[in-house]
Amino acid sequence: MNINVTMKERLAQASVFEVEVSGGGSSTRHAVEVRDADAARLGGGAPAEDLVRRSFEFLLAREPKGSILRRFDLMDIARYYPEFEKEIVKL
């Protein structure tokens, strides 16, 4: 899978990223909001784009790209996968 992450919009204390996941002859697009505090806590000092990319790698290891929500807050992942925060800092 190819994961392309682009910053789409800067908000007061968050950023919105557009993510395109392609592979297998199709692609999907997603909008992901990442709060600055979450990026700082989970990103390990890396740019927020890297955190979003790693988060999609995490998701794609668990579900097909077509099952990923089209728009969500990054921390919504933890609602579906309680191990997310613990695992994402390892990636």
Side-chain angles (χ1 to χ4, degrees):
M1 287 292 153
N2 183 38
I3 303 167
N4 185 34
V5 180
T6 307
M7 182 183 291
K8 184 176 178 183
E9 181 180 5
R10 179 71 191 144
L11 305 173
Q13 295 182 3
S15 297
V16 178
F17 296 90
E18 181 176 271
V19 182
E20 182 179 6
V21 182
S22 58
S26 66
S27 65
T28 58
R29 288 187 184 270
H30 311 269
V32 182
E33 184 172 330
V34 181
R35 283 176 258 140
D36 296 343
D38 295 329
R41 186 168 51 85
L42 299 174
E49 289 90 342
D50 291 343
L51 174 60
V52 173
R53 185 174 293 104
R54 291 191 333 260
S55 298
F56 269 77
E57 290 169 357
F58 173 91
L59 287 170
L60 290 166
R62 289 157 178 79
E63 61 184 279
K65 66 181 180 284
S67 296
I68 299 173
L69 296 172
R70 295 294 185 241
R71 184 172 186 87
F72 61 95
D73 182 284
L74 184 77
M75 295 313 299
D76 289 343
I77 298 171
R79 287 187 9 217
Y80 297 97
Y81 299 102
E83 73 275 17
F84 171 69
E85 289 188 51
K86 187 177 180 181
E87 294 295 319
I88 199 65
V89 295
K90 296 177 187 177
L91 295 177

